[in-house]
Amino acid sequence: MINSNFHTKKQKSVFLKSFYAKSTLYLQDNYQTEDAMIQFETNYAGLTLKNPFIIGSSGLTNSAKKNKELEDAGAGAVVLKSLFEEQIENQGNALMHTTDFPEAADYIRSYVKANRIEEYLSLIKESKALCTIPVIASINCYKANAWVEFAGQMEEAGADALELNIFYLCTDPNTSANEMYDLYISILKKVKKHVSIPIILKIGKSFSNIPGLVNQIKLHEAQGVVLFNRYYRPDIDIRKMQIVSGHVFSTSSELSDTLRWTALVAGSIPGISISSSCGIHNREDVIKCLLAGADTVQLCSTIYKNGRDVIAQIREGVENWMNMQKYESISEFRGKLSFSNVEDPSLYERSQFMKYFSDHKA
């Protein structure tokens, strides 16, 4: 209640003005007004995204209709389902077994490849016609020469960027680590000569020196890197005595490696965009990746499991957290806990593994 015991009207007027002024300040400090909007806009590999939520290359992004639905659900960009070099080669080889004419081999291979490429170019064009968010094309390849011309065609079809998902599982004991690095850089250099759109490399986490590889990728003018791709996971059925597929979808428990290397790369290799991928399922996972230094995150398994609505749920969760922390834009906290910004960078290093167990009580 407002005290009504005033000696004069002037005293009452002064009191009321002071009371309402203080009340207004209190409301401004404790409640967000409609005009105060959280800024989700981010830059990734030279592209401006309305938010950092990218839908990763998968069956989720294999049609223009699906991509438009993902945009409407809140996605900031989509990476089209990859065109797999190995898959095309296998398809061509399978068809070759149906003919007894060796001279038909080259024709069959060329036909299969041309047909698949034309389908992919149509996917780019149709997605660009429906979507206003960036459409990133994707090639899964393991040879330096196979996709040079195709990369140029993707740019002409309207792709905003190109994600090179270079996957080569080396099982040759005579191949050195340097040869594997050289393969990545060789593909990047050759594709770079034929396109002007941003090139992003999606790499695996099996390298001995990930920051070293990313540094080479940056020096050869790739605009971004995705940490990490998720390989096919084999398992063994002990009853049927067969090799079978392991878990298809990731879980949040796989996020640890993604966080570690996102933080290490962001803190030691400035000037290249980072998209965290693998193990990102909820708002906490997203916030952790952004704090570690990611410019964007790639969502995939969580959408398969929870549907497209999870994008809006994650966005709302991140926004609520930002309000509690009094952040108005992502740029205010991105990289706050990267390798170069934490008080004790060794917390991200492998040596802490033994310290953890030495301090842990059974």
Side-chain angles (χ1 to χ4, degrees):
M1 294 292 292
I2 298 175
N3 190 348
S4 58
N5 297 321
F6 298 102
H7 297 294
T8 66
K9 289 183 178 180
K10 184 176 180 181
Q11 287 179 327
K12 183 177 181 180
S13 176
V14 170
F15 176 84
L16 288 174
K17 285 181 180 180
S18 175
F19 175 81
Y20 288 124
K22 291 178 180 178
S23 298
T24 301
L25 287 172
Y26 175 84
L27 290 171
Q28 288 176 344
D29 287 341
N30 291 275
Y31 297 92
Q32 185 172 342
T33 66
E34 292 183 2
D35 293 331
M37 300 293 289
I38 294 292
Q39 297 298 313
F40 276 95
E41 188 174 281
T42 190
N43 184 280
Y44 174 58
L47 304 175
T48 299
L49 278 60
K50 64 181 181 181
N51 64 56
F53 312 129
I54 296 177
I55 311 306
S57 175
S58 62
L60 297 167
T61 60
N62 65 0
S63 79
K65 180 176 179 292
K66 290 181 182 178
N67 293 329
K68 178 58 179 172
E69 290 170 347
L70 288 165
E71 176 180 358
D72 293 341
V78 293
V79 183
L80 300 181
K81 180 176 172 59
S82 291
L83 188 64
F84 285 78
E85 175 187 358
E86 185 179 22
Q87 186 178 21
I88 291 176
E89 288 187 350
N90 290 341
Q91 187 178 354
N93 291 335
L95 287 174
M96 283 170 55
H97 293 314
T98 65
T99 178
D100 294 327
F101 299 97
E103 61 271 20
D106 288 340
Y107 172 78
I108 291 175
R109 287 196 187 97
S110 298
Y111 172 80
V112 170
K113 184 173 181 179
N115 187 57
R116 293 298 301 276
I117 287 174
E118 191 57 41
E119 290 176 356
Y120 201 82
L121 295 176
S122 295
L123 173 60
I124 295 172
K125 293 173 183 177
E126 292 167 7
S127 296
K128 285 296 295 178
L130 288 180
C131 301
T132 60
I133 58 176
V135 173
I136 303 171
S138 174
I139 303 173
N140 186 299
C141 56
Y142 62 94
K143 293 179 183 175
N145 297 318
W147 299 105
V148 170
E149 292 181 10
F150 180 38
Q153 289 177 284
M154 290 198 310
E155 181 174 7
E156 292 173 6
D160 295 292
L162 171 61
E163 184 179 279
L164 291 175
N165 186 351
I166 303 174
F167 170 48
Y168 180 65
L169 184 62
C170 183
T171 57
D172 182 356
N174 297 313
T175 300
S176 69
N178 286 337
E179 289 177 88
M180 294 301 298
Y181 284 11
D182 291 344
L183 173 65
Y184 276 68
I185 301 307
S186 177
I187 294 175
L188 170 60
K189 286 168 65 176
K190 291 185 178 181
V191 173
K192 188 74 180 176
K193 291 178 181 177
H194 289 79
V195 300
S196 58
I197 56 176
I199 297 178
I200 302 153
L201 263 66
K202 191 171 188 177
I203 67 173
K205 56 185 177 182
S206 57
F207 290 94
S208 59
N209 184 1
I210 290 171
L213 175 59
V214 174
N215 189 47
Q216 287 300 309
I217 290 171
K218 175 194 168 185
L219 291 175
H220 288 88
E221 300 182 338
Q223 282 77 21
V225 63
V226 181
L227 308 174
F228 298 100
N229 54 21
R230 191 170 187 269
Y231 298 153
Y232 163 80
R233 298 192 169 196
D235 198 356
I236 293 178
D237 187 323
I238 61 173
R239 289 175 293 276
K240 296 181 178 179
M241 300 292 284
Q242 292 178 346
I243 307 297
V244 296
S245 173
H247 294 294
V248 176
F249 300 128
S250 71
T251 65
S252 289
S253 64
E254 297 177 50
L255 185 65
S256 180
D257 284 337
T258 302
L259 282 179
R260 179 204 299 269
W261 292 110
T262 294
L264 286 165
V265 170
S268 56
I269 315 293
I272 187 167
S273 291
I274 300 172
S275 188
S276 291
S277 177
C278 193
I280 302 167
H281 286 256
N282 51 51
R283 68 128 190 186
E284 288 85 359
D285 298 337
V286 170
I287 293 167
K288 290 174 184 178
C289 289
L290 295 173
L291 283 168
D295 297 283
T296 63
V297 295
Q298 293 201 2
L299 307 174
C300 186
S301 291
T302 188
I303 299 176
Y304 272 112
K305 291 179 177 179
N306 304 302
R308 291 187 297 269
D309 290 345
V310 76
I311 303 171
Q313 294 167 14
I314 289 175
R315 179 191 173 110
E316 183 180 0
V318 174
E319 186 170 357
N320 290 338
W321 177 85
M322 290 174 66
N323 281 328
M324 287 190 293
Q325 299 294 327
K326 300 194 181 302
Y327 291 124
E328 295 181 359
S329 68
I330 289 176
S331 60
E332 292 181 49
F333 67 89
R334 181 192 290 116
K336 194 169 185 179
L337 296 180
S338 74
F339 182 71
S340 61
N341 288 330
V342 292
E343 219 173 284
D344 183 6
S346 68
L347 292 172
Y348 282 119
E349 294 174 342
R350 190 180 299 271
S351 60
Q352 291 299 311
F353 180 84
M354 294 307 296
K355 183 178 185 302
Y356 170 79
F357 279 101
S358 65
D359 291 344
H360 183 71
K361 296 181 180 178

